[in-house]
Short mmCIF file of all heavy atoms in Angstrom, two decimals:
data_model
loop_
_atom_site.label_atom_id
_atom_site.label_comp_id
_atom_site.label_asym_id
_atom_site.label_seq_id
_atom_site.Cartn_x
_atom_site.Cartn_y
_atom_site.Cartn_z
N ARG J 35 4.41 -14.48 0.12
CA ARG J 35 5.81 -14.93 0.24
C ARG J 35 6.27 -14.99 1.69
O ARG J 35 6.86 -15.96 2.14
CB ARG J 35 6.72 -14.00 -0.57
CG ARG J 35 8.14 -14.50 -0.69
CD ARG J 35 9.01 -13.47 -1.41
NE ARG J 35 8.40 -13.07 -2.67
CZ ARG J 35 8.10 -11.81 -3.00
NH1 ARG J 35 8.35 -10.83 -2.14
NH2 ARG J 35 7.56 -11.54 -4.15
N HIS J 36 6.02 -13.92 2.44
CA HIS J 36 6.36 -13.88 3.87
C HIS J 36 5.15 -13.38 4.64
O HIS J 36 4.57 -12.35 4.29
CB HIS J 36 7.56 -12.97 4.13
CG HIS J 36 8.85 -13.52 3.60
ND1 HIS J 36 9.46 -13.03 2.47
CD2 HIS J 36 9.64 -14.54 4.05
CE1 HIS J 36 10.56 -13.72 2.24
NE2 HIS J 36 10.70 -14.64 3.18
N LEU J 37 4.79 -14.11 5.69
CA LEU J 37 3.61 -13.79 6.47
C LEU J 37 3.95 -13.68 7.95
O LEU J 37 4.84 -14.38 8.45
CB LEU J 37 2.53 -14.88 6.30
CG LEU J 37 2.05 -15.17 4.88
CD1 LEU J 37 1.07 -16.34 4.90
CD2 LEU J 37 1.42 -13.95 4.25
N LEU J 38 3.22 -12.81 8.63
CA LEU J 38 3.35 -12.67 10.08
C LEU J 38 2.09 -13.21 10.74
O LEU J 38 0.97 -12.80 10.40
CB LEU J 38 3.54 -11.20 10.47
CG LEU J 38 3.59 -10.94 11.97
CD1 LEU J 38 4.97 -11.25 12.51
CD2 LEU J 38 3.19 -9.52 12.30
N VAL J 39 2.24 -14.12 11.67
CA VAL J 39 1.10 -14.73 12.36
C VAL J 39 0.52 -13.74 13.38
O VAL J 39 1.24 -13.22 14.23
CB VAL J 39 1.53 -16.02 13.08
CG1 VAL J 39 0.37 -16.59 13.91
CG2 VAL J 39 2.01 -17.05 12.07
N VAL J 40 -0.79 -13.48 13.28
CA VAL J 40 -1.45 -12.60 14.25
C VAL J 40 -2.45 -13.36 15.13
O VAL J 40 -3.02 -12.78 16.06
CB VAL J 40 -2.17 -11.42 13.54
CG1 VAL J 40 -1.16 -10.51 12.86
CG2 VAL J 40 -3.22 -11.90 12.55
N THR J 41 -2.67 -14.63 14.85
CA THR J 41 -3.53 -15.43 15.71
C THR J 41 -2.96 -15.42 17.13
O THR J 41 -1.75 -15.58 17.33
CB THR J 41 -3.62 -16.88 15.19
OG1 THR J 41 -4.21 -16.88 13.90
CG2 THR J 41 -4.45 -17.75 16.13
N ALA J 42 -3.82 -15.23 18.13
CA ALA J 42 -3.38 -15.11 19.52
C ALA J 42 -2.86 -16.44 20.06
O ALA J 42 -3.35 -17.51 19.69
CB ALA J 42 -4.53 -14.61 20.39
N ASP J 43 -1.90 -16.37 20.97
CA ASP J 43 -1.35 -17.57 21.58
C ASP J 43 -2.42 -18.36 22.33
O ASP J 43 -2.40 -19.60 22.33
CB ASP J 43 -0.21 -17.20 22.54
CG ASP J 43 1.05 -16.75 21.80
OD1 ASP J 43 1.18 -17.08 20.60
OD2 ASP J 43 1.89 -16.08 22.42
N CYS J 44 -3.35 -17.65 22.97
CA CYS J 44 -4.41 -18.37 23.71
C CYS J 44 -5.32 -19.13 22.75
O CYS J 44 -5.86 -20.19 23.10
CB CYS J 44 -5.21 -17.40 24.57
SG CYS J 44 -6.09 -16.13 23.64
N ASP J 45 -5.50 -18.63 21.53
CA ASP J 45 -6.29 -19.35 20.54
C ASP J 45 -5.59 -20.64 20.11
O ASP J 45 -6.23 -21.67 19.89
CB ASP J 45 -6.55 -18.47 19.32
CG ASP J 45 -7.56 -17.37 19.59
OD1 ASP J 45 -8.19 -17.42 20.67
OD2 ASP J 45 -7.72 -16.48 18.75
N PHE J 46 -4.25 -20.55 19.98
CA PHE J 46 -3.49 -21.77 19.68
C PHE J 46 -3.61 -22.76 20.84
O PHE J 46 -3.84 -23.95 20.64
CB PHE J 46 -2.02 -21.44 19.44
CG PHE J 46 -1.73 -20.84 18.09
CD1 PHE J 46 -1.17 -19.57 17.98
CD2 PHE J 46 -1.98 -21.56 16.93
CE1 PHE J 46 -0.89 -19.03 16.74
CE2 PHE J 46 -1.70 -21.02 15.68
CZ PHE J 46 -1.16 -19.75 15.59
N ALA J 47 -3.46 -22.26 22.07
CA ALA J 47 -3.45 -23.13 23.24
C ALA J 47 -4.77 -23.87 23.41
O ALA J 47 -4.79 -25.04 23.84
CB ALA J 47 -3.13 -22.32 24.49
N HIS J 48 -5.88 -23.21 23.10
CA HIS J 48 -7.20 -23.81 23.30
C HIS J 48 -7.87 -24.22 21.98
O HIS J 48 -9.06 -24.52 21.97
CB HIS J 48 -8.10 -22.82 24.05
CG HIS J 48 -7.57 -22.46 25.41
ND1 HIS J 48 -7.59 -23.33 26.47
CD2 HIS J 48 -6.97 -21.32 25.86
CE1 HIS J 48 -7.05 -22.75 27.53
NE2 HIS J 48 -6.65 -21.52 27.20
N ALA J 49 -7.09 -24.21 20.90
CA ALA J 49 -7.58 -24.64 19.58
C ALA J 49 -8.82 -23.87 19.14
O ALA J 49 -9.69 -24.42 18.46
CB ALA J 49 -7.86 -26.14 19.58
N LYS J 50 -8.89 -22.59 19.50
CA LYS J 50 -10.04 -21.78 19.09
C LYS J 50 -9.98 -21.39 17.62
O LYS J 50 -10.98 -20.98 17.04
CB LYS J 50 -10.11 -20.51 19.95
CG LYS J 50 -10.42 -20.74 21.42
CD LYS J 50 -10.47 -19.42 22.16
CE LYS J 50 -10.76 -19.60 23.64
NZ LYS J 50 -10.77 -18.30 24.36
N HIS J 51 -8.80 -21.48 17.05
CA HIS J 51 -8.62 -21.03 15.67
C HIS J 51 -9.04 -22.09 14.66
O HIS J 51 -9.02 -21.84 13.45
CB HIS J 51 -7.16 -20.66 15.43
CG HIS J 51 -6.20 -21.80 15.59
ND1 HIS J 51 -6.18 -22.62 16.68
CD2 HIS J 51 -5.24 -22.27 14.75
CE1 HIS J 51 -5.23 -23.54 16.54
NE2 HIS J 51 -4.66 -23.35 15.37
N GLN J 52 -9.43 -23.27 15.14
CA GLN J 52 -9.93 -24.34 14.26
C GLN J 52 -8.92 -24.71 13.16
O GLN J 52 -9.29 -25.07 12.05
CB GLN J 52 -11.26 -23.94 13.63
CG GLN J 52 -12.37 -23.65 14.62
CD GLN J 52 -12.78 -24.88 15.43
OE1 GLN J 52 -12.96 -25.95 14.88
NE2 GLN J 52 -12.90 -24.70 16.74
N GLY J 53 -7.65 -24.58 13.48
CA GLY J 53 -6.62 -24.96 12.53
C GLY J 53 -6.28 -23.91 11.49
O GLY J 53 -5.37 -24.11 10.69
N ARG J 54 -6.98 -22.78 11.52
CA ARG J 54 -6.73 -21.72 10.55
C ARG J 54 -5.85 -20.64 11.19
O ARG J 54 -6.25 -20.02 12.17
CB ARG J 54 -8.04 -21.11 10.05
CG ARG J 54 -8.90 -22.09 9.27
CD ARG J 54 -10.23 -21.45 8.90
NE ARG J 54 -11.06 -22.35 8.09
CZ ARG J 54 -11.84 -23.29 8.58
NH1 ARG J 54 -11.93 -23.45 9.90
NH2 ARG J 54 -12.55 -24.07 7.79
N VAL J 55 -4.70 -20.41 10.62
CA VAL J 55 -3.74 -19.44 11.15
C VAL J 55 -3.90 -18.13 10.37
O VAL J 55 -3.69 -18.10 9.16
CB VAL J 55 -2.30 -19.97 11.04
CG1 VAL J 55 -1.32 -18.96 11.63
CG2 VAL J 55 -2.19 -21.32 11.75
N THR J 56 -4.26 -17.07 11.07
CA THR J 56 -4.47 -15.77 10.43
C THR J 56 -3.16 -15.01 10.38
O THR J 56 -2.44 -14.90 11.39
CB THR J 56 -5.53 -14.96 11.20
OG1 THR J 56 -6.74 -15.71 11.24
CG2 THR J 56 -5.78 -13.62 10.53
N CYS J 57 -2.85 -14.45 9.22
CA CYS J 57 -1.57 -13.78 9.00
C CYS J 57 -1.75 -12.49 8.19
O CYS J 57 -2.77 -12.31 7.52
CB CYS J 57 -0.61 -14.69 8.22
SG CYS J 57 -0.40 -16.35 8.88
N VAL J 58 -0.75 -11.64 8.27
CA VAL J 58 -0.68 -10.46 7.40
C VAL J 58 0.63 -10.54 6.63
O VAL J 58 1.60 -11.14 7.10
CB VAL J 58 -0.76 -9.14 8.20
CG1 VAL J 58 -2.12 -9.00 8.87
CG2 VAL J 58 0.36 -9.04 9.23
N PRO J 59 0.68 -9.97 5.42
CA PRO J 59 1.89 -10.09 4.60
C PRO J 59 3.00 -9.15 5.06
O PRO J 59 2.75 -8.05 5.58
CB PRO J 59 1.40 -9.70 3.20
CG PRO J 59 0.22 -8.81 3.45
CD PRO J 59 -0.42 -9.31 4.71
N LEU J 60 4.21 -9.60 4.84
CA LEU J 60 5.41 -8.80 5.06
C LEU J 60 6.01 -8.53 3.67
O LEU J 60 6.58 -9.42 3.05
CB LEU J 60 6.41 -9.55 5.94
CG LEU J 60 5.92 -9.84 7.36
CD1 LEU J 60 6.80 -10.88 8.04
CD2 LEU J 60 5.86 -8.56 8.19
N LEU J 61 5.83 -7.31 3.19
CA LEU J 61 6.30 -6.93 1.85
C LEU J 61 7.68 -6.31 1.94
O LEU J 61 8.00 -5.63 2.92
CB LEU J 61 5.33 -5.93 1.22
CG LEU J 61 3.84 -6.28 1.22
CD1 LEU J 61 3.04 -5.14 0.60
CD2 LEU J 61 3.58 -7.58 0.49
N THR J 62 8.49 -6.52 0.91
CA THR J 62 9.74 -5.77 0.87
C THR J 62 9.41 -4.29 0.80
O THR J 62 8.32 -3.90 0.35
CB THR J 62 10.60 -6.16 -0.33
OG1 THR J 62 9.94 -5.74 -1.53
CG2 THR J 62 10.85 -7.66 -0.38
N ALA J 63 10.33 -3.45 1.24
CA ALA J 63 10.08 -2.01 1.26
C ALA J 63 9.72 -1.51 -0.14
O ALA J 63 8.80 -0.71 -0.31
CB ALA J 63 11.29 -1.26 1.80
N GLU J 64 10.42 -1.99 -1.15
CA GLU J 64 10.16 -1.54 -2.52
C GLU J 64 8.78 -2.00 -3.00
O GLU J 64 8.09 -1.26 -3.70
CB GLU J 64 11.26 -2.01 -3.47
CG GLU J 64 12.59 -1.29 -3.25
CD GLU J 64 13.58 -1.53 -4.36
OE1 GLU J 64 13.27 -2.32 -5.29
OE2 GLU J 64 14.68 -0.94 -4.31
N GLU J 65 8.38 -3.22 -2.61
CA GLU J 65 7.05 -3.71 -2.99
C GLU J 65 5.97 -2.85 -2.35
O GLU J 65 5.00 -2.45 -3.00
CB GLU J 65 6.89 -5.16 -2.55
CG GLU J 65 7.67 -6.15 -3.39
CD GLU J 65 7.66 -7.55 -2.81
OE1 GLU J 65 7.36 -7.69 -1.60
OE2 GLU J 65 7.97 -8.50 -3.56
N TYR J 66 6.14 -2.57 -1.06
CA TYR J 66 5.13 -1.77 -0.36
C TYR J 66 5.04 -0.36 -0.94
O TYR J 66 3.95 0.15 -1.20
CB TYR J 66 5.47 -1.69 1.14
CG TYR J 66 4.61 -0.70 1.88
CD1 TYR J 66 3.30 -1.02 2.25
CD2 TYR J 66 5.08 0.57 2.18
CE1 TYR J 66 2.49 -0.12 2.91
CE2 TYR J 66 4.28 1.49 2.83
CZ TYR J 66 2.99 1.15 3.20
OH TYR J 66 2.19 2.06 3.83
N LEU J 67 6.17 0.28 -1.13
CA LEU J 67 6.17 1.64 -1.66
C LEU J 67 5.60 1.68 -3.08
O LEU J 67 4.87 2.61 -3.43
CB LEU J 67 7.59 2.22 -1.63
CG LEU J 67 8.18 2.43 -0.23
CD1 LEU J 67 9.65 2.83 -0.32
CD2 LEU J 67 7.40 3.48 0.56
N SER J 68 5.93 0.68 -3.88
CA SER J 68 5.40 0.62 -5.25
C SER J 68 3.89 0.43 -5.25
O SER J 68 3.18 1.03 -6.06
CB SER J 68 6.05 -0.52 -6.02
OG SER J 68 7.43 -0.29 -6.21
N GLU J 69 3.40 -0.39 -4.35
CA GLU J 69 1.99 -0.74 -4.33
C GLU J 69 1.13 0.31 -3.63
O GLU J 69 0.01 0.60 -4.06
CB GLU J 69 1.81 -2.09 -3.61
CG GLU J 69 0.42 -2.67 -3.69
CD GLU J 69 0.10 -3.26 -5.06
OE1 GLU J 69 1.03 -3.51 -5.85
OE2 GLU J 69 -1.10 -3.48 -5.32
N MET J 70 1.64 0.90 -2.54
CA MET J 70 0.81 1.75 -1.69
C MET J 70 1.15 3.24 -1.76
O MET J 70 0.27 4.08 -1.56
CB MET J 70 0.93 1.29 -0.22
CG MET J 70 0.54 -0.14 -0.01
SD MET J 70 -1.19 -0.41 -0.45
CE MET J 70 -1.23 -2.20 -0.48
N GLN J 71 2.40 3.58 -2.02
CA GLN J 71 2.80 4.97 -1.94
C GLN J 71 3.01 5.63 -3.30
O GLN J 71 2.66 6.80 -3.48
CB GLN J 71 4.08 5.10 -1.09
CG GLN J 71 3.92 4.58 0.33
CD GLN J 71 2.83 5.30 1.10
OE1 GLN J 71 2.65 6.51 0.98
NE2 GLN J 71 2.08 4.56 1.91
N ILE J 72 3.59 4.91 -4.24
CA ILE J 72 3.80 5.48 -5.58
C ILE J 72 2.48 5.95 -6.20
O ILE J 72 2.40 7.06 -6.75
CB ILE J 72 4.51 4.47 -6.51
CG1 ILE J 72 5.99 4.34 -6.13
CG2 ILE J 72 4.36 4.87 -7.97
CD1 ILE J 72 6.88 5.50 -6.53
N PRO J 73 1.39 5.15 -6.13
CA PRO J 73 0.11 5.62 -6.71
C PRO J 73 -0.39 6.92 -6.07
O PRO J 73 -0.92 7.78 -6.77
CB PRO J 73 -0.85 4.46 -6.44
CG PRO J 73 0.02 3.26 -6.37
CD PRO J 73 1.28 3.75 -5.68
N LYS J 74 -0.22 7.08 -4.76
CA LYS J 74 -0.65 8.31 -4.09
C LYS J 74 0.16 9.50 -4.57
O LYS J 74 -0.39 10.58 -4.85
CB LYS J 74 -0.48 8.17 -2.57
CG LYS J 74 -1.40 7.15 -1.92
CD LYS J 74 -1.13 7.10 -0.42
CE LYS J 74 -1.94 6.02 0.26
NZ LYS J 74 -1.62 5.94 1.72
N LEU J 75 1.47 9.31 -4.67
CA LEU J 75 2.34 10.39 -5.12
C LEU J 75 2.04 10.74 -6.58
O LEU J 75 2.00 11.92 -6.95
CB LEU J 75 3.80 9.98 -4.95
CG LEU J 75 4.86 10.98 -5.40
CD1 LEU J 75 4.65 12.34 -4.74
CD2 LEU J 75 6.25 10.43 -5.10
N ARG J 76 1.79 9.72 -7.39
CA ARG J 76 1.45 9.96 -8.80
C ARG J 76 0.18 10.81 -8.91
O ARG J 76 0.12 11.75 -9.72
CB ARG J 76 1.25 8.62 -9.50
CG ARG J 76 0.94 8.74 -10.98
CD ARG J 76 0.62 7.39 -11.57
NE ARG J 76 1.77 6.51 -11.54
CZ ARG J 76 1.79 5.31 -10.98
NH1 ARG J 76 0.71 4.84 -10.37
NH2 ARG J 76 2.87 4.55 -11.01
N GLU J 77 -0.82 10.51 -8.09
CA GLU J 77 -2.07 11.27 -8.11
C GLU J 77 -1.82 12.72 -7.70
O GLU J 77 -2.39 13.64 -8.29
CB GLU J 77 -3.08 10.63 -7.17
CG GLU J 77 -3.62 9.28 -7.65
CD GLU J 77 -4.42 9.41 -8.94
OE1 GLU J 77 -5.37 10.22 -8.97
OE2 GLU J 77 -4.08 8.72 -9.92
N GLN J 78 -1.00 12.93 -6.69
CA GLN J 78 -0.70 14.30 -6.25
C GLN J 78 -0.01 15.10 -7.35
O GLN J 78 -0.36 16.27 -7.60
CB GLN J 78 0.18 14.26 -5.01
CG GLN J 78 -0.51 13.73 -3.77
CD GLN J 78 0.43 13.60 -2.59
OE1 GLN J 78 1.59 14.01 -2.65
NE2 GLN J 78 -0.05 13.01 -1.51
N LEU J 79 0.97 14.50 -7.99
CA LEU J 79 1.71 15.20 -9.04
C LEU J 79 0.84 15.43 -10.27
O LEU J 79 0.92 16.48 -10.91
CB LEU J 79 2.96 14.40 -9.41
CG LEU J 79 3.99 14.23 -8.30
CD1 LEU J 79 5.14 13.34 -8.74
CD2 LEU J 79 4.53 15.59 -7.83
N ALA J 80 0.00 14.45 -10.60
CA ALA J 80 -0.89 14.60 -11.75
C ALA J 80 -1.90 15.71 -11.50
O ALA J 80 -2.29 16.44 -12.42
CB ALA J 80 -1.60 13.29 -12.05
N ARG J 81 -2.33 15.86 -10.24
CA ARG J 81 -3.32 16.88 -9.90
C ARG J 81 -2.79 18.28 -10.24
O ARG J 81 -3.54 19.15 -10.68
CB ARG J 81 -3.66 16.79 -8.42
CG ARG J 81 -4.96 17.49 -8.02
CD ARG J 81 -5.31 17.22 -6.58
NE ARG J 81 -5.51 15.79 -6.37
CZ ARG J 81 -4.88 15.07 -5.43
NH1 ARG J 81 -4.01 15.64 -4.63
NH2 ARG J 81 -5.13 13.79 -5.31
N GLN J 82 -1.51 18.49 -10.04
CA GLN J 82 -0.91 19.79 -10.39
C GLN J 82 -1.04 20.08 -11.88
O GLN J 82 -1.38 21.19 -12.29
CB GLN J 82 0.56 19.81 -9.99
CG GLN J 82 0.80 19.86 -8.49
CD GLN J 82 2.28 19.99 -8.18
OE1 GLN J 82 3.13 19.53 -8.96
NE2 GLN J 82 2.59 20.61 -7.07
N GLN J 83 -0.76 19.07 -12.69
CA GLN J 83 -0.83 19.25 -14.14
C GLN J 83 -2.28 19.42 -14.61
O GLN J 83 -2.55 20.18 -15.54
CB GLN J 83 -0.16 18.07 -14.85
CG GLN J 83 1.30 17.88 -14.51
CD GLN J 83 2.14 19.12 -14.79
OE1 GLN J 83 1.99 19.77 -15.84
NE2 GLN J 83 3.03 19.47 -13.87
N VAL J 84 -3.19 18.74 -13.94
CA VAL J 84 -4.61 18.90 -14.27
C VAL J 84 -5.07 20.32 -13.97
O VAL J 84 -5.84 20.92 -14.74
CB VAL J 84 -5.48 17.88 -13.49
CG1 VAL J 84 -6.96 18.22 -13.60
CG2 VAL J 84 -5.23 16.46 -14.03
N ARG J 85 -4.58 20.88 -12.87
CA ARG J 85 -4.92 22.28 -12.54
C ARG J 85 -4.41 23.22 -13.62
O ARG J 85 -5.08 24.19 -13.99
CB ARG J 85 -4.34 22.66 -11.17
CG ARG J 85 -5.15 22.14 -10.00
CD ARG J 85 -4.81 22.90 -8.73
NE ARG J 85 -3.43 22.69 -8.31
CZ ARG J 85 -3.05 21.76 -7.44
NH1 ARG J 85 -3.94 20.96 -6.90
NH2 ARG J 85 -1.78 21.63 -7.10
N GLU J 86 -3.21 22.96 -14.11
CA GLU J 86 -2.66 23.78 -15.20
C GLU J 86 -3.56 23.69 -16.44
O GLU J 86 -3.86 24.70 -17.09
CB GLU J 86 -1.24 23.31 -15.54
CG GLU J 86 -0.20 23.55 -14.47
CD GLU J 86 0.26 24.99 -14.40
OE1 GLU J 86 -0.04 25.77 -15.33
OE2 GLU J 86 0.93 25.36 -13.41
N LEU J 87 -4.00 22.48 -16.75
CA LEU J 87 -4.86 22.28 -17.92
C LEU J 87 -6.19 22.99 -17.75
O LEU J 87 -6.71 23.61 -18.68
CB LEU J 87 -5.08 20.79 -18.15
CG LEU J 87 -3.89 20.00 -18.72
CD1 LEU J 87 -4.16 18.51 -18.66
CD2 LEU J 87 -3.60 20.44 -20.17
N ARG J 88 -6.75 22.91 -16.56
CA ARG J 88 -8.04 23.58 -16.31
C ARG J 88 -7.91 25.09 -16.48
O ARG J 88 -8.79 25.75 -17.01
CB ARG J 88 -8.54 23.24 -14.90
CG ARG J 88 -9.11 21.84 -14.77
CD ARG J 88 -9.92 21.72 -13.49
NE ARG J 88 -10.55 20.42 -13.37
CZ ARG J 88 -11.64 20.08 -14.01
NH1 ARG J 88 -12.22 20.91 -14.86
NH2 ARG J 88 -12.18 18.88 -13.83
N GLN J 89 -6.80 25.61 -16.01
CA GLN J 89 -6.57 27.06 -16.13
C GLN J 89 -6.46 27.46 -17.60
O GLN J 89 -7.03 28.48 -18.02
CB GLN J 89 -5.29 27.44 -15.38
CG GLN J 89 -5.04 28.93 -15.31
CD GLN J 89 -3.77 29.24 -14.54
OE1 GLN J 89 -2.75 28.57 -14.70
NE2 GLN J 89 -3.82 30.26 -13.71
N ILE J 90 -5.78 26.64 -18.37
CA ILE J 90 -5.62 26.92 -19.80
C ILE J 90 -6.97 26.82 -20.51
O ILE J 90 -7.35 27.68 -21.30
CB ILE J 90 -4.61 25.94 -20.42
CG1 ILE J 90 -3.21 26.19 -19.84
CG2 ILE J 90 -4.60 26.07 -21.95
CD1 ILE J 90 -2.21 25.09 -20.16
N LEU J 91 -7.71 25.76 -20.23
CA LEU J 91 -8.98 25.51 -20.91
C LEU J 91 -10.04 26.53 -20.51
O LEU J 91 -10.96 26.81 -21.30
CB LEU J 91 -9.47 24.10 -20.61
CG LEU J 91 -8.59 22.96 -21.16
CD1 LEU J 91 -9.09 21.61 -20.68
CD2 LEU J 91 -8.54 23.01 -22.68
N SER J 92 -9.94 27.07 -19.31
CA SER J 92 -10.93 28.07 -18.87
C SER J 92 -10.86 29.34 -19.72
O SER J 92 -11.82 30.11 -19.78
CB SER J 92 -10.72 28.41 -17.40
OG SER J 92 -9.49 29.10 -17.20
N LYS J 93 -9.73 29.58 -20.37
CA LYS J 93 -9.54 30.77 -21.20
C LYS J 93 -9.83 30.50 -22.68
O LYS J 93 -9.65 31.38 -23.51
CB LYS J 93 -8.11 31.29 -21.05
CG LYS J 93 -7.73 31.63 -19.61
CD LYS J 93 -6.26 32.00 -19.53
CE LYS J 93 -5.83 32.27 -18.10
NZ LYS J 93 -4.37 32.55 -17.99
N SER J 94 -10.22 29.25 -22.97
CA SER J 94 -10.45 28.89 -24.38
C SER J 94 -11.92 28.55 -24.59
O SER J 94 -12.72 28.56 -23.67
CB SER J 94 -9.58 27.68 -24.75
OG SER J 94 -10.09 26.51 -24.14
N ALA J 95 -12.23 28.23 -25.83
CA ALA J 95 -13.61 27.85 -26.18
C ALA J 95 -13.82 26.35 -26.07
O ALA J 95 -14.85 25.83 -26.51
CB ALA J 95 -13.92 28.32 -27.59
N ALA J 96 -12.86 25.64 -25.46
CA ALA J 96 -12.96 24.18 -25.34
C ALA J 96 -14.11 23.80 -24.41
O ALA J 96 -14.45 24.53 -23.48
CB ALA J 96 -11.65 23.62 -24.79
#
Side-chain angles (χ1 to χ4, degrees):
R35 189 184 308 123
H36 291 105
L37 303 176
L38 176 81
V39 175
V40 295
T41 297
D43 288 340
C44 62
D45 287 350
F46 283 119
H48 299 287
K50 293 180 181 178
H51 63 309
Q52 301 295 314
R54 295 176 177 84
V55 181
T56 302
C57 309
V58 295
L60 297 165
L61 309 178
T62 67
E64 289 193 357
E65 287 171 342
Y66 171 79
L67 294 172
S68 295
E69 188 75 17
M70 302 298 167
Q71 301 301 321
I72 286 286
K74 293 180 184 177
L75 179 54
R76 182 186 295 125
E77 290 295 306
Q78 291 176 5
L79 297 176
R81 198 173 299 127
Q82 289 184 332
Q83 300 304 316
V84 168
R85 282 199 295 266
E86 293 283 347
L87 287 169
R88 284 196 176 282
Q89 186 179 42
I90 294 167
L91 295 174
S92 68
K93 302 174 183 177
S94 72

